[in-house]
Amino acid sequence: MKLNFFGIETGLKDMHTSAYFETKDNKIVIIDCPFSAFYKMKRLDLKKYNEIIFLITHTHGDHIGCLGLAVQLAYFTLKIPVTIIAPSPEVEHKILILLNDIEGCELEWFNSINAKSKNMKKYDWFKNVILTEHSPQLKNRCFGYALNIDNTNIIYTGDTSTLEPFKPYLTENSEIYIDTSVHYGMIHLKLEDILDYLISIKDMNINAYLMHLDDIETAKEIINNIPNIHIPEIK
């Protein structure tokens, strides 16, 4: 497992889904920033990094609810530069409204970029941003990512109701991190609907990690003895 997780639960649970990884040039990349991740993030030795990068999937509260506080923590207390990567220019605009107009974070407190920008070429871990379907209220504003972490192809779905946009990015020896619901489904992927597919990709040596879970214990029972489907450990 190449990602570290602050939490793997849904928005109405206690451990909201958020993951992170370290880069070779001493930066930390945190995927989304809900309140539960903010509290755990502060326990890390953040001062050892020369930059904090927040990689955003979409703007639901359980994904960016504490982004403003994280910017303030980094600027006023840690004295570390922050870069926020939005998945698209439209989402970047929405985030800037939230941070600057609503929360009062000055624009000089953080750097803002979107995944469509040419400036993304400087990040060797970034491969692609992937538009997906999730909440109809955020149509065309929900995304996942293809990343390269420690020479491993990483697919991170963000919140999604379909696997189709991500399948073309799956190659041999990949890891896929999937928004998975045991009971709910609807705007999330229901485990029983994707289980056969996840089992089938074992032939490509692809490991699947379930996140955004509404029922971790039942999910563990369902995937018991399936060698390529896992529940991530929580930091």
Side-chain angles (χ1 to χ4, degrees):
M1 187 175 80
K2 298 298 182 180
L3 294 180
N4 304 289
F5 276 83
F6 292 123
I8 57 170
E9 291 185 309
T10 67
L12 300 180
K13 295 274 188 175
D14 295 330
M15 297 188 301
H16 299 151
T17 295
S18 177
Y20 68 94
F21 62 94
E22 299 177 347
T23 69
K24 297 175 183 177
D25 53 352
N26 198 38
K27 305 178 192 303
I28 183 171
V29 180
I30 300 174
I31 305 177
D32 293 328
C33 188
F35 278 92
S36 57
F38 174 75
Y39 294 129
K40 290 188 174 184
M41 178 186 80
K42 292 194 299 179
R43 300 175 192 168
L44 300 178
D45 182 16
L46 293 173
K47 288 188 176 181
K48 73 178 183 180
Y49 302 110
N50 55 41
E51 185 178 10
I52 301 172
I53 300 172
F54 290 100
L55 185 65
I56 305 302
T57 62
H58 64 296
T59 55
H60 277 153
D62 61 318
H63 291 264
I64 66 164
C66 217
L67 191 57
L69 276 179
V71 166
Q72 295 174 52
L73 173 71
Y75 184 80
F76 289 107
T77 302
L78 301 174
K79 310 297 183 183
I80 299 172
V82 168
T83 296
I84 298 170
I85 301 176
S88 72
E90 182 182 7
V91 176
E92 181 183 20
H93 177 67
K94 301 291 186 184
I95 291 173
L96 289 175
I97 290 174
L98 172 66
L99 295 183
N100 184 229
D101 294 351
I102 297 175
E103 296 205 23
C105 293
E106 299 286 354
L107 296 180
E108 59 264 28
W109 297 355
F110 62 96
N111 301 310
S112 177
I113 191 175
N114 69 75
K116 304 291 187 180
S117 169
K118 293 179 180 179
N119 291 332
M120 291 300 296
K121 292 180 180 179
K122 67 181 180 180
Y123 299 118
D124 59 4
W125 47 265
F126 178 81
K127 294 175 64 177
N128 219 326
V129 60
I130 305 169
L131 177 66
T132 191
E133 298 174 15
H134 173 42
S135 166
Q137 294 82 10
L138 296 182
K139 185 174 177 60
N140 294 323
R141 285 188 273 150
C142 298
F143 295 82
Y145 290 95
L147 309 172
N148 184 344
I149 303 174
D150 293 337
N151 296 317
T152 301
N153 182 45
I154 302 295
I155 305 303
Y156 189 94
T157 68
D159 284 9
T160 186
S161 61
T162 175
L163 272 179
E164 293 308 311
F166 304 98
K167 289 180 179 179
Y169 295 90
L170 284 172
T171 58
E172 293 273 350
N173 305 311
S174 296
E175 293 183 359
I176 181 169
Y177 297 81
I178 308 169
D179 170 17
T180 314
S181 174
V182 173
H183 305 293
Y184 180 69
M186 298 172 68
I187 62 173
H188 303 278
L189 286 163
K190 199 166 185 180
L191 181 54
E192 66 180 26
D193 295 334
I194 60 172
L195 189 60
D196 287 345
Y197 175 76
L198 298 185
I199 294 171
S200 73
I201 59 179
K202 179 180 179 295
D203 294 339
M204 297 174 64
N205 196 30
I206 296 174
N207 282 287
Y209 296 87
L210 310 183
M211 59 185 189
H212 212 276
L213 287 161
D214 55 347
D215 186 340
I216 294 175
E217 293 307 314
T218 300
K220 287 180 178 178
E221 293 175 6
I222 293 172
I223 67 170
N224 188 38
N225 295 324
I226 303 177
N228 71 313
I229 308 178
H230 317 277
I231 307 292
E233 295 182 5
I234 305 300
K235 290 292 183 177

